[in-house]
Amino acid sequence: DAGVTQSPTHLIKTRGQQVTLRCSPKSGHDTVSWYQQALGQGPQFIFQYYEEEERQRGNFPDRFSGHQFPNYSSELNVNALLLGDSALYLCASSLGQGRGEQFFGPGTRLTVL
Amino acid sequence: DQQVKQNSPSLSVQEGRISILNCDYTNSMFDYFLWYKKYPAEGPTFLISISSIKDKNEDGRFTVFLNKSAKHLSLHIVPSQPGDSAVYFCAATSNQAGTALIFGKGTTLSVSS
């Protein structure tokens, strides 16, 4: 049973560019959450998608947007990249909107130069 | 302002001894707490959780204690094993936060043989 998968593993971009990160949830899961983990910090909640809609959003600017597809996979888009966007981006999947455990993928390491 | 605090960046313990990782929170609305473990190049892995209606939850070598009056929780690992060496994150959530997890900065545990 495949767990949460993310692509790409690593990515290098320059300031002002746009990036798209991808996530496939664990089999049977329908909810995807995205987190940003800066160096030396804990993961910080960006937003959550359920039934192809953004259901919840953390304190992130509109440059961060996402999408969920009918097969529950998800994308995270970041526009107008800043140096401060350099971080590990984690995707987590769960079932429904209950308070159950979230399963995390290995993350995408984004470096903005 | 950090709502979940892990004030010890690191902890070193000998194999077979007890490891105690601590976590404090400031938001009295938090009612569900989780511990995650993270190895390098992997996503966080769920360890154990506790609801605010309980003061203790045990799962094998892992026990979480919750002191609501002190807004403090701790994770006990007995006996500690070298494979437990990882970064441990405390996370919390509330009905207000929905299913978004609020993480601490993490504590790096090193277990020596």
Side-chain angles (χ1 to χ4, degrees):
Chain A
D1 175 26
V4 179
T5 59
Q6 293 185 243
S7 63
T9 306
H10 297 88
L11 204 50
I12 299 175
K13 291 286 188 178
T14 56
R15 280 179 298 174
Q17 284 190 312
Q18 178 264 344
V19 68
T20 297
L21 310 182
R22 295 175 176 81
C23 171
S24 290
K26 181 179 169 64
S27 177
H29 285 183
D30 56 7
T31 302
V32 173
S33 302
W34 286 91
Y35 292 81
Q36 179 196 66
Q37 186 181 8
L39 200 61
Q41 304 294 316
Q44 189 174 358
F45 177 74
I46 303 175
F47 44 53
Q48 182 183 84
Y49 278 83
Y50 173 69
E51 293 186 337
E52 301 180 50
E53 289 190 11
E54 182 183 295
R55 296 291 182 164
Q56 206 177 338
R57 188 178 185 92
N59 189 25
F60 278 80
D62 292 344
R63 298 187 298 108
F64 289 76
S65 63
H67 187 78
Q68 185 178 36
F69 299 92
N71 66 353
Y72 307 122
S73 67
S74 176
E75 288 181 348
L76 164 65
N77 301 293
V78 187
N79 294 323
L81 284 167
L82 304 173
L83 296 180
D85 295 332
S86 296
L88 179 69
Y89 288 85
L90 294 161
C91 169
S93 74
S94 54
L95 183 60
Q97 291 207 287
R99 305 274 288 276
E101 173 190 346
Q102 295 186 21
F103 290 77
F104 283 83
T108 294
R109 173 71 63 186
L110 172 64
T111 302
V112 182
L113 302 176
Chain B
D1 185 33
Q2 259 200 309
Q3 299 185 68
V4 177
K5 300 177 183 179
Q6 294 178 257
N7 293 318
S8 297
S10 62
L11 175 67
S12 294
V13 172
Q14 281 194 318
E15 181 179 8
R17 307 294 286 265
I18 184 172
S19 294
I20 300 176
L21 296 100
N22 294 304
C23 178
D24 297 296
Y25 61 95
T26 58
N27 189 339
S28 58
M29 299 301 292
F30 287 148
D31 61 357
Y32 190 64
F33 304 88
L34 307 90
W35 284 94
Y36 279 82
K37 176 172 72 173
K38 187 179 186 302
Y39 293 118
E42 294 183 13
T45 303
F46 171 76
L47 267 179
I48 192 169
S49 62
I50 187 167
S51 164
S52 60
I53 62 173
K54 295 185 174 182
D55 54 19
K56 176 183 174 181
N57 189 26
E58 196 171 350
D59 184 1
R61 296 187 298 115
F62 302 92
T63 303
V64 57
F65 295 92
L66 175 62
N67 182 334
K68 290 189 292 293
S69 61
K71 294 192 178 66
H72 177 84
L73 62 156
S74 60
L75 174 68
H76 293 212
I77 306 173
V78 182
S80 300
Q81 300 173 353
D84 296 329
S85 298
V87 179
Y88 288 77
F89 291 101
C90 171
T93 187
S94 66
N95 278 329
Q96 280 184 329
T99 53
L101 297 177
I102 311 300
F103 283 87
K105 289 186 176 183
T107 296
T108 300
L109 174 65
S110 299
V111 181
S112 56
S113 55

